[in-house]
Amino acid sequence: MPFISRKESLNKLHATVQQEKAIIGCGAGAGISAKFAERGGADLIIIYNSGRYRMAGRGSLAGLLPYGDANKIVTEMASEVLPIVQSTPVLAGVCGTDPFRQMPVFLRQLKEMGFDGVQNFPTVGLIDGVFRQNLEETGMGFDLEVEMIRQAHELDMLTCPYVFDEEQAVKMTEAGADVLVAHMGLTTKGSIGAETALTLEKSAERIQAIHDAATEINPSILILCHGGPIAEPSDVAEILHLTNGIAGFFGASSIERLATEVAIQSQVEKFKELPRGM
């Protein structure tokens, strides 16, 4: 794919908003997901380690556990996804807390490979409780992800980080984030979706609060919704109805896992219904 500058990417995203259309970001755990997400009109394509696990039939939270080197996996996935995408910005999910990477060097490598931008994933934002507190106390906290976004911004890469509350929204906006993805937790629905999640109404309240905190600092920043109960197009429509100023949706499990589960099962069932000839 051709390199797409941050300026060109942002111009396209803002043009979509001005046309009163929703920005749709799509997670891609395989080349075929990226190929057909682009054909469907995706505005952004994001690849990260959980996409590989998700398309292997595992839950997305596998990306937060020690099953592989997250930053190495995203570079491996690049060779499958980047050559097949024609004109859509592709973002790398970067583990900003990785203590074995010189982050400015790694970000430059990603840019040279053809990535147009970054997102913070795996993210400690999905971790709570005492474990999260211990991560923060031992130098593996969310602020490292903020710093990664700041460094990517300085390299003129498109930056679209996940945030989980207003405080994080403020930090990421001040670091130069172009797009914030308001994360409502692990996606529900499907065979391996979460069963514990916020309601759509509560999610809308949180997303609006994140939007308001960020736009107070940068009125032009774009806010997308993601995760939790926001799984199907009808869920996104409800969130957009309940909020003001939300630019669209980022889907990962919603885009490739849920669609794949239904399509493959349905196709096999149709074959199984065929009568056998005498």
Side-chain angles (χ1 to χ4, degrees), residues 135-169:
L135 288 173
E136 297 287 345
E137 293 169 347
T138 54
M140 292 175 279
F142 192 82
D143 284 348
L144 287 177
E145 299 178 24
V146 176
E147 181 59 26
M148 182 274 290
I149 293 297
R150 187 188 313 279
Q151 293 170 2
H153 175 72
E154 291 171 354
L155 291 172
D156 204 34
M157 300 180 80
L158 185 69
T159 51
C160 308
Y162 283 130
V163 295
F164 299 81
D165 57 36
E166 299 100 302
E167 180 182 356
Q168 293 174 3

Short mmCIF file of all heavy atoms in Angstrom, two decimals, residues 135-169:
data_model
loop_
_atom_site.label_atom_id
_atom_site.label_comp_id
_atom_site.label_asym_id
_atom_site.label_seq_id
_atom_site.Cartn_x
_atom_site.Cartn_y
_atom_site.Cartn_z
N LEU A 135 1.08 -2.43 38.69
CA LEU A 135 1.71 -2.07 37.42
C LEU A 135 2.11 -0.59 37.41
O LEU A 135 3.23 -0.23 37.00
CB LEU A 135 0.77 -2.36 36.24
CG LEU A 135 0.54 -3.82 35.88
CD1 LEU A 135 -0.56 -3.94 34.82
CD2 LEU A 135 1.82 -4.48 35.38
N GLU A 136 1.20 0.26 37.89
CA GLU A 136 1.50 1.68 37.94
C GLU A 136 2.67 1.96 38.89
O GLU A 136 3.54 2.79 38.59
CB GLU A 136 0.25 2.46 38.40
CG GLU A 136 -0.95 2.35 37.47
CD GLU A 136 -0.78 3.14 36.18
OE1 GLU A 136 0.12 4.01 36.11
OE2 GLU A 136 -1.56 2.88 35.23
N GLU A 137 2.68 1.26 40.02
CA GLU A 137 3.72 1.49 41.03
C GLU A 137 5.09 0.99 40.60
O GLU A 137 6.11 1.45 41.11
CB GLU A 137 3.31 0.80 42.34
CG GLU A 137 2.08 1.42 43.00
CD GLU A 137 1.53 0.57 44.13
OE1 GLU A 137 1.93 -0.61 44.25
OE2 GLU A 137 0.69 1.08 44.90
N THR A 138 5.12 0.05 39.67
CA THR A 138 6.40 -0.55 39.26
C THR A 138 6.83 -0.13 37.85
O THR A 138 7.61 -0.81 37.20
CB THR A 138 6.33 -2.08 39.35
OG1 THR A 138 5.20 -2.56 38.60
CG2 THR A 138 6.19 -2.53 40.80
N GLY A 139 6.33 1.02 37.39
CA GLY A 139 6.82 1.59 36.15
C GLY A 139 6.28 0.96 34.89
O GLY A 139 6.94 1.03 33.83
N MET A 140 5.09 0.36 34.93
CA MET A 140 4.48 -0.22 33.73
C MET A 140 3.05 0.28 33.56
O MET A 140 2.14 -0.47 33.25
CB MET A 140 4.52 -1.76 33.81
CG MET A 140 5.92 -2.33 33.70
SD MET A 140 6.01 -4.13 33.92
CE MET A 140 5.96 -4.23 35.73
N GLY A 141 2.88 1.59 33.79
CA GLY A 141 1.55 2.17 33.82
C GLY A 141 1.12 2.85 32.53
O GLY A 141 1.85 2.90 31.54
N PHE A 142 -0.08 3.42 32.59
CA PHE A 142 -0.71 4.02 31.41
C PHE A 142 0.07 5.21 30.87
O PHE A 142 0.03 5.50 29.67
CB PHE A 142 -2.14 4.44 31.75
CG PHE A 142 -2.97 4.80 30.56
CD1 PHE A 142 -3.59 3.83 29.78
CD2 PHE A 142 -3.15 6.14 30.20
CE1 PHE A 142 -4.35 4.17 28.68
CE2 PHE A 142 -3.92 6.49 29.10
CZ PHE A 142 -4.52 5.50 28.33
N ASP A 143 0.80 5.90 31.74
CA ASP A 143 1.54 7.07 31.27
C ASP A 143 2.59 6.71 30.22
O ASP A 143 2.96 7.56 29.40
CB ASP A 143 2.21 7.78 32.46
CG ASP A 143 1.21 8.61 33.27
OD1 ASP A 143 0.07 8.80 32.80
OD2 ASP A 143 1.57 9.06 34.38
N LEU A 144 3.09 5.48 30.25
CA LEU A 144 4.02 5.05 29.20
C LEU A 144 3.31 4.98 27.85
O LEU A 144 3.91 5.25 26.81
CB LEU A 144 4.63 3.69 29.55
CG LEU A 144 5.68 3.66 30.67
CD1 LEU A 144 6.12 2.22 30.93
CD2 LEU A 144 6.88 4.52 30.31
N GLU A 145 2.05 4.62 27.86
CA GLU A 145 1.27 4.60 26.63
C GLU A 145 1.03 6.02 26.12
O GLU A 145 1.06 6.28 24.91
CB GLU A 145 -0.05 3.86 26.85
CG GLU A 145 0.16 2.41 27.27
CD GLU A 145 -1.14 1.67 27.54
OE1 GLU A 145 -2.19 2.09 26.98
OE2 GLU A 145 -1.11 0.70 28.31
N VAL A 146 0.81 6.94 27.05
CA VAL A 146 0.66 8.35 26.67
C VAL A 146 1.94 8.85 26.03
O VAL A 146 1.91 9.54 25.00
CB VAL A 146 0.30 9.20 27.91
CG1 VAL A 146 0.24 10.68 27.54
CG2 VAL A 146 -1.03 8.75 28.51
N GLU A 147 3.08 8.50 26.63
CA GLU A 147 4.37 8.93 26.09
C GLU A 147 4.61 8.33 24.71
O GLU A 147 5.17 8.99 23.82
CB GLU A 147 5.49 8.55 27.04
CG GLU A 147 6.89 8.98 26.59
CD GLU A 147 7.01 10.49 26.39
OE1 GLU A 147 6.26 11.25 27.02
OE2 GLU A 147 7.89 10.90 25.59
N MET A 148 4.20 7.09 24.50
CA MET A 148 4.33 6.47 23.18
C MET A 148 3.54 7.26 22.13
O MET A 148 4.02 7.52 21.02
CB MET A 148 3.86 5.02 23.23
CG MET A 148 3.99 4.25 21.92
SD MET A 148 2.57 4.44 20.80
CE MET A 148 1.31 3.49 21.70
N ILE A 149 2.33 7.67 22.49
CA ILE A 149 1.50 8.46 21.58
C ILE A 149 2.16 9.82 21.31
O ILE A 149 2.17 10.30 20.17
CB ILE A 149 0.08 8.64 22.15
CG1 ILE A 149 -0.65 7.29 22.18
CG2 ILE A 149 -0.70 9.69 21.36
CD1 ILE A 149 -0.88 6.67 20.80
N ARG A 150 2.74 10.41 22.32
CA ARG A 150 3.44 11.68 22.15
C ARG A 150 4.60 11.53 21.15
O ARG A 150 4.78 12.36 20.25
CB ARG A 150 3.97 12.18 23.49
CG ARG A 150 4.56 13.60 23.42
CD ARG A 150 5.26 13.97 24.74
NE ARG A 150 4.44 13.65 25.90
CZ ARG A 150 3.46 14.42 26.35
NH1 ARG A 150 3.17 15.55 25.72
NH2 ARG A 150 2.77 14.06 27.42
N GLN A 151 5.36 10.46 21.30
CA GLN A 151 6.49 10.23 20.40
C GLN A 151 6.03 9.95 18.98
O GLN A 151 6.64 10.43 18.01
CB GLN A 151 7.34 9.07 20.94
CG GLN A 151 8.04 9.39 22.24
CD GLN A 151 8.68 8.17 22.88
OE1 GLN A 151 8.63 7.06 22.34
NE2 GLN A 151 9.26 8.35 24.05
N ALA A 152 4.95 9.21 18.83
CA ALA A 152 4.41 8.94 17.50
C ALA A 152 3.91 10.23 16.85
O ALA A 152 4.08 10.45 15.64
CB ALA A 152 3.29 7.91 17.57
N HIS A 153 3.29 11.08 17.64
CA HIS A 153 2.83 12.38 17.14
C HIS A 153 4.01 13.21 16.64
O HIS A 153 3.92 13.86 15.58
CB HIS A 153 2.08 13.12 18.24
CG HIS A 153 1.67 14.51 17.88
ND1 HIS A 153 0.66 14.77 16.98
CD2 HIS A 153 2.16 15.72 18.27
CE1 HIS A 153 0.53 16.08 16.83
NE2 HIS A 153 1.42 16.68 17.61
N GLU A 154 5.10 13.17 17.37
CA GLU A 154 6.29 13.92 16.97
C GLU A 154 6.89 13.38 15.67
O GLU A 154 7.56 14.11 14.94
CB GLU A 154 7.33 13.88 18.09
CG GLU A 154 6.91 14.69 19.32
CD GLU A 154 7.82 14.49 20.51
OE1 GLU A 154 8.74 13.63 20.42
OE2 GLU A 154 7.62 15.17 21.54
N LEU A 155 6.63 12.10 15.38
CA LEU A 155 7.07 11.51 14.12
C LEU A 155 6.05 11.74 13.01
O LEU A 155 6.20 11.21 11.90
CB LEU A 155 7.30 10.00 14.30
CG LEU A 155 8.49 9.59 15.16
CD1 LEU A 155 8.48 8.08 15.40
CD2 LEU A 155 9.79 10.01 14.49
N ASP A 156 5.01 12.52 13.29
CA ASP A 156 3.96 12.86 12.33
C ASP A 156 3.18 11.63 11.89
O ASP A 156 2.77 11.52 10.73
CB ASP A 156 4.53 13.59 11.11
CG ASP A 156 3.48 14.44 10.41
OD1 ASP A 156 2.60 14.98 11.11
OD2 ASP A 156 3.54 14.56 9.17
N MET A 157 2.97 10.70 12.82
CA MET A 157 2.12 9.54 12.57
C MET A 157 0.72 9.84 13.09
O MET A 157 0.55 10.58 14.06
CB MET A 157 2.68 8.30 13.27
CG MET A 157 4.08 7.91 12.83
SD MET A 157 4.70 6.43 13.69
CE MET A 157 3.85 5.13 12.74
N LEU A 158 -0.27 9.26 12.46
CA LEU A 158 -1.65 9.39 12.93
C LEU A 158 -1.77 8.63 14.25
O LEU A 158 -1.35 7.49 14.36
CB LEU A 158 -2.61 8.80 11.90
CG LEU A 158 -4.11 8.95 12.18
CD1 LEU A 158 -4.52 10.42 12.06
CD2 LEU A 158 -4.92 8.09 11.22
N THR A 159 -2.36 9.25 15.26
CA THR A 159 -2.44 8.63 16.58
C THR A 159 -3.89 8.50 17.02
O THR A 159 -4.63 9.48 17.07
CB THR A 159 -1.65 9.45 17.62
OG1 THR A 159 -2.06 10.83 17.55
CG2 THR A 159 -0.16 9.36 17.34
N CYS A 160 -4.29 7.28 17.34
CA CYS A 160 -5.70 6.97 17.65
C CYS A 160 -5.79 6.10 18.89
O CYS A 160 -6.22 4.94 18.82
CB CYS A 160 -6.36 6.27 16.46
SG CYS A 160 -6.18 7.12 14.88
N PRO A 161 -5.40 6.62 20.05
CA PRO A 161 -5.33 5.77 21.24
C PRO A 161 -6.68 5.45 21.87
O PRO A 161 -7.65 6.19 21.76
CB PRO A 161 -4.49 6.61 22.21
CG PRO A 161 -4.79 8.02 21.80
CD PRO A 161 -4.91 7.98 20.31
N TYR A 162 -6.69 4.31 22.56
CA TYR A 162 -7.79 3.96 23.45
C TYR A 162 -7.69 4.80 24.72
O TYR A 162 -6.59 5.01 25.26
CB TYR A 162 -7.68 2.49 23.87
CG TYR A 162 -8.11 1.47 22.85
CD1 TYR A 162 -7.28 0.39 22.55
CD2 TYR A 162 -9.36 1.54 22.24
CE1 TYR A 162 -7.68 -0.58 21.64
CE2 TYR A 162 -9.77 0.57 21.34
CZ TYR A 162 -8.92 -0.49 21.04
OH TYR A 162 -9.32 -1.45 20.15
N VAL A 163 -8.84 5.24 25.22
CA VAL A 163 -8.90 5.86 26.55
C VAL A 163 -10.12 5.29 27.27
O VAL A 163 -11.09 4.88 26.64
CB VAL A 163 -8.97 7.39 26.49
CG1 VAL A 163 -7.70 7.97 25.90
CG2 VAL A 163 -10.19 7.86 25.69
N PHE A 164 -10.06 5.30 28.59
CA PHE A 164 -11.09 4.65 29.40
C PHE A 164 -11.82 5.60 30.34
O PHE A 164 -12.82 5.22 30.93
CB PHE A 164 -10.47 3.50 30.19
CG PHE A 164 -9.88 2.43 29.30
CD1 PHE A 164 -8.62 2.58 28.75
CD2 PHE A 164 -10.59 1.28 29.01
CE1 PHE A 164 -8.07 1.60 27.91
CE2 PHE A 164 -10.06 0.30 28.18
CZ PHE A 164 -8.80 0.46 27.63
N ASP A 165 -11.31 6.83 30.47
CA ASP A 165 -11.97 7.81 31.33
C ASP A 165 -11.52 9.21 30.92
O ASP A 165 -10.68 9.38 30.04
CB ASP A 165 -11.70 7.54 32.81
CG ASP A 165 -10.21 7.51 33.16
OD1 ASP A 165 -9.43 8.30 32.57
OD2 ASP A 165 -9.81 6.71 34.02
N GLU A 166 -12.09 10.20 31.60
CA GLU A 166 -11.80 11.60 31.25
C GLU A 166 -10.34 11.97 31.49
O GLU A 166 -9.74 12.72 30.70
CB GLU A 166 -12.69 12.54 32.04
CG GLU A 166 -14.18 12.35 31.79
CD GLU A 166 -14.86 11.55 32.87
OE1 GLU A 166 -14.45 10.40 33.11
OE2 GLU A 166 -15.81 12.10 33.49
N GLU A 167 -9.76 11.49 32.58
CA GLU A 167 -8.37 11.82 32.89
C GLU A 167 -7.44 11.34 31.78
O GLU A 167 -6.54 12.07 31.33
CB GLU A 167 -7.95 11.20 34.23
CG GLU A 167 -6.51 11.51 34.62
CD GLU A 167 -6.10 10.85 35.92
OE1 GLU A 167 -6.94 10.21 36.57
OE2 GLU A 167 -4.91 10.97 36.28
N GLN A 168 -7.64 10.12 31.32
CA GLN A 168 -6.83 9.59 30.24
C GLN A 168 -7.09 10.35 28.95
O GLN A 168 -6.16 10.58 28.15
CB GLN A 168 -7.10 8.11 30.05
CG GLN A 168 -6.65 7.25 31.21
CD GLN A 168 -7.06 5.80 31.07
OE1 GLN A 168 -7.64 5.40 30.06
NE2 GLN A 168 -6.78 4.99 32.08
N ALA A 169 -8.33 10.75 28.73
CA ALA A 169 -8.66 11.53 27.54
C ALA A 169 -7.89 12.83 27.51
O ALA A 169 -7.36 13.24 26.46
CB ALA A 169 -10.17 11.80 27.48
#
